[in-house]
Structure formats: C-alpha cells, structure tokens
C-alpha cells in the first residue's frame, strides 16, 4: 500500500498568488509599490551576514520593539511568518477537529484554507448587498461548535470597513468563549476616523488583533506579522508555531521598518490620496465601486470578471480576479494607477 495523504486535502483550494508578468504593472497583491526605505535594506544586508546562525528563538528584540512601538503588552504578543501563518496558528490553538470557524465570504482567501488544514470546519457568511461583512449573519451562524470568527477590517477583497458602533455592538453580542480575530492587514490605509483601531478592543479577552508588515511596511517578501491577544491565546499561538519561522532577516527588517514608520506612513498617505482619485475616476466611467479603506479597490463585475481581467492583462496590467464575482486592483504609484484606469476606460462594460 502506498503512502497516502489526508483525503480531504484534495478538496483544499490552493492559495492563489498574484500573477507575475515581466514588465507589467503589478496591482494584484496589495503590496506597496516602490522599494523599501534604504534603512530597511541596510538592516536586511547586515542581518544577512549572520545567516549561518539561528535567529533569536523568542524574537526578543523584535517583540520588545513591537510592544513599545504599538503601545502593547509584550506577553500578549506573538510574531509569525506573515499574519497568514498566525491565522493558521489561531485555528490550531483554539479548535479541535470539527469545531467551527466563521468568516465572511468573500473575504481573505486564506481563511478557509487554514481552517481546513487545522481540521476545523469553515462557515462562510455571504457579504451584504453593499459588499460589506454581514455582522448579523455572522452572529446568526454561531453555534455550540463555534470557536473563532475572522473579521477582516477593512475586508479583503472588497475594501469595505466596519465602524466603531457596529463593531462594538457586535463584540458585545459574541459569546465570550468565541474568539473574534480582527484582521487589520490594511490598518495604515484607513482614513475614516470612525473605523476603530482593533487594539482599543484588547480589554476584551475574546478579541485578538492581527497586523502585518507585508502591506504598509513594504515587507511582503520578508514574511512577518504579529498578533496581540489575551495572555492565554497569545501563549497558545506561540506554542503551535514552528520554531524559528520568523527568520533572522525578518526580525531585523521588522525592527528597521518600525523605525522607518514616518517615511512609510507618508507613502501610505500617497496611496490613500490615489485611492480617492482611482475610485472617483472609476465611478465616472460608470463602474460600481464600493468605498475602500484599504490600498485596493473592488469592482463587482460578476459575469464580466474574466473578460475584464483578460483585457487588463492585454494592457499589461495585472490585477486579481475572482471568477464570477469581481476584480480587486491594488492602488499603486500614480503612473501604475493611470495604466489601470486606461485599461478600465477602454473596456466595454
Ligand atoms: C495581505 C493580508 C494579510 C497578510 O498576509 P501576510 O501573511 O502577513 O503577508 C492578512 N490578512 C489579510 C486580510 C490580508 O489581505
């Protein structure tokens, strides 16, 4: 008898990375366009000189700096190989086989994958007609088996954001044994003051907040994210993590990125100004585009999705298409956005 792998893995969708087309404008993965600040590159080069040595096991310096920089309690933190790794660790740390994990759909495509890998059962709650997370629907989906709820705020790929009053009312109603994971991968691009900072909810033991260095901190290729949660949840997440998965270079880069925050936030501000320009131009062209609080826009094109995507590829603009639903286009540098807008304009919709 040959070796077999788990039968359920055959039904597991692959995580689809953004397509890379040489020479094209890449607006498919919500990365920050342009190279990382010089200081980060210097820190990376310096750390690279010592790669014959294992990294610091507990990522001590990185955790110290993260706690200080974000004003968080260090024992309540965990770092991971990208926040997607922390998503999986959260499910592993909270769920037994068959327990349920609720998330909006469509939302971050990693949620169903990490849920299934961890032997839990994913429960998808459709978005509202306005393309936002349906909090009432998510509450209605809670059962005795529910252990965790992923709330992407803003939501990837629709860019919609939950406001303070509705999120607070929701948290008040979630059973206290269900962990609410506020995934704030795009927090630095939020300009609406009424969209809360998840850290303000950390007085609740059933709230965890995820942040990443992949987007605003220009480190998608380094793989670094962190979690803030209750002491117990943070300890559980650290326990199921793979030792040394946040490598030496990532630890140094993260520290340098926090030090470069003013420069990076200035770049985020350019992106959010461009977001307004792109959004308004698309509306002008007659597209339906929900208001975005992230560094991307969502076009719910339905049946026209594949055709729009092919048209953009023909113009050497790479975006992300979700067949039959819509496309997500990252907001990049002005010239990149111009290329996307030109493609959108020449599409017969
Ligand atoms: C991009 C993104 C992440 C970050 O993933 P990393 O693994 O940190 O690169 C997490 N959550 C959402 C919703 C995202 O869009």
């Amino acid at each position: 008898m040959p070796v077999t792998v788990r039968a359920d893995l055959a039904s597991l969708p692959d995580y689809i990375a953004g397509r890379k087309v040489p020479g094209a404008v890449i607006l498919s993965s919500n990365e920050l366009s342009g190279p990382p600040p010089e200081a980060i590159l210097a820190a990376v080069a310096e750390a690279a000189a010592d790669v014959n040595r294992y990294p610091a096991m507990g990522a001590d310096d990185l955790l110290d700096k993260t706690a200080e920089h974000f004003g968080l309690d260090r024992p309540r933190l965990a770092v991971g190989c990208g926040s997607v790794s922390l998503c999986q660790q959260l499910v592993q740390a909270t769920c037994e086989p068959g327990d349920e994990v609720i998330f909006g759909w469509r939302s971050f495509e990693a949620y169903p994958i990490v849920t299934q890998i961890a032997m839990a059962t994913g429960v998808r709650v459709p978005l509202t007609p306005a393309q936002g997370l349906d909090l009432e629907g998510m509450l209605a989906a809670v059962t005795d088996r529910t252990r965790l709820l992923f709330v992407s705020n803003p939501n990837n790929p629709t860019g919609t954001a939950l406001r303070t009053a509705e999120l607070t009312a929701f948290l008040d109603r979630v059973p206290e044994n269900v962990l609410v994971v506020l995934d704030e991968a795009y927090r630095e691009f939020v300009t609406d003051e009424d969209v809360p900072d998840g850290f303000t909810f950390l007085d609740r033991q059933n709230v965890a907040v995820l942040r990443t260095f992949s987007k605003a901190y220009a480190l998608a290729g380094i793989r670094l994210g962190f979690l803030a949660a209750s002491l117990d949840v943070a300890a559980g997440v650290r326990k199921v993590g793979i030792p040394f998965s946040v490598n030496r270079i990532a630890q140094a880069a993260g520290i340098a990125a926090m030090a470069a925050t003013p420069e990076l936030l200035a770049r985020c501000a350019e992106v959010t100004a461009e977001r307004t320009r792109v959004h308004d131009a698309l509306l002008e062209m007659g597209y339906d585009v929900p208001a975005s609080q992230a560094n991307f826009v969502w076009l719910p094109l339905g049946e026209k999705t594949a055709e729009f995507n092919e048209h953009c590829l023909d113009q050497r603009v790479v975006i992300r298409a979700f067949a039959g639903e819509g496309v997500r286009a990252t907001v990049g540098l002005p010239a990149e956005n111009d290329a996307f807008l030109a493609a959108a304009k020449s599409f017969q919709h």
Side-chain angles (χ1 to χ4, degrees):
M1 277 246 293
V3 173
T4 55
V5 296
R6 277 164 48 185
D8 72 297
L9 296 185
S11 68
L12 194 66
D14 288 324
Y15 184 94
I16 302 173
R19 232 155 88 193
K20 298 292 175 208
V21 176
V25 171
I26 305 293
L27 300 176
S28 50
S29 297
N30 301 340
E31 300 145 340
L32 203 63
S33 288
E38 276 302 325
I40 297 182
L41 297 178
V44 165
E46 195 186 322
D50 291 324
V51 289
N52 55 313
R53 301 290 177 196
Y54 279 100
M57 173 74 186
D60 300 315
D61 292 351
L62 174 62
L63 281 168
D64 285 346
K65 288 281 180 337
T66 305
E68 187 191 314
H69 185 78
F70 292 96
L72 298 166
D73 215 7
R74 190 191 192 280
R76 296 178 61 179
L77 303 181
V79 287
C81 177
S83 54
V84 68
S85 153
L86 293 164
C87 289
Q88 184 164 323
Q89 286 166 249
L90 278 161
V91 180
Q92 289 174 312
T94 57
C95 293
E96 310 233 348
D99 281 345
E100 291 166 3
V101 174
I102 297 173
F103 38 82
W105 202 252
R106 183 169 278 278
S107 189
F108 187 33
E109 62 184 315
Y111 298 153
I113 301 174
V114 300
T115 298
Q116 191 178 333
I117 289 173
M119 303 277 214
T121 301
V123 177
R124 301 174 184 206
V125 176
L127 299 181
T128 65
Q131 309 282 321
L133 292 178
D134 177 3
L135 296 180
E136 283 301 323
M138 292 173 87
L139 281 169
V142 172
T143 73
D144 290 348
R145 295 303 304 263
T146 307
R147 293 287 166 270
L148 191 151
L149 271 152
F150 280 116
V151 175
S152 175
N153 198 34
N155 188 47
N156 174 7
T158 56
T160 53
L162 300 166
R163 299 204 163 71
T164 305
E166 55 188 331
L167 189 52
T168 306
F170 169 77
L171 293 173
D172 286 344
R173 290 169 63 198
V174 174
E176 58 184 18
N177 67 329
V178 174
L179 182 67
V180 179
V181 178
L182 301 175
D183 184 347
E184 299 188 323
Y186 303 98
R187 176 65 203 167
E188 296 81 0
F189 300 100
V190 170
T191 51
D192 180 343
E193 285 175 12
D194 202 18
V195 174
D197 177 332
F199 293 151
T200 60
F201 295 112
L202 285 173
D203 55 336
R204 297 168 189 249
Q205 57 79 35
N206 68 332
V207 168
V209 179
L210 286 175
R211 295 284 180 92
T212 180
F213 285 86
S214 295
K215 311 286 163 53
Y217 290 89
L219 292 179
I222 282 273
R223 314 303 307 126
L224 181 63
F226 72 93
L227 162 96
S230 70
L231 280 177
D232 286 347
V233 169
V237 164
R238 288 193 299 265
K239 207 157 231 182
V240 297
I242 293 172
F244 304 114
S245 64
V246 176
N247 69 60
R248 177 178 283 278
I249 296 176
Q251 293 185 25
I255 291 170
M258 284 183 273
T261 296
E263 184 179 340
L264 288 162
L265 289 186
R267 282 167 64 173
C268 293
E270 287 167 18
V271 169
T272 56
E274 278 291 286
R275 175 178 75 201
T276 304
R277 182 175 77 89
V278 170
H279 179 256
D280 293 353
L282 290 167
L283 288 187
E284 184 82 6
M285 292 172 206
Y287 287 98
D288 176 17
V289 191
S292 171
Q293 285 290 305
N295 67 339
F296 53 82
V297 289
W298 170 248
L299 284 69
L301 291 163
E303 297 302 304
K304 293 220 157 179
T305 297
E307 202 187 324
F308 183 91
N309 187 45
E310 286 308 315
H311 176 76
C312 286
L313 282 172
D314 287 346
Q315 318 286 308
R316 306 186 73 70
V317 176
V318 187
I319 54 172
R320 184 70 66 94
F322 298 96
E325 295 175 61
V327 300
R328 187 194 69 198
T330 306
V331 177
L333 299 170
E336 295 174 321
N337 304 330
D338 285 343
F340 170 64
L341 289 174
K345 188 154 197 178
S346 56
F347 180 74
Q348 304 298 319
H349 62 284

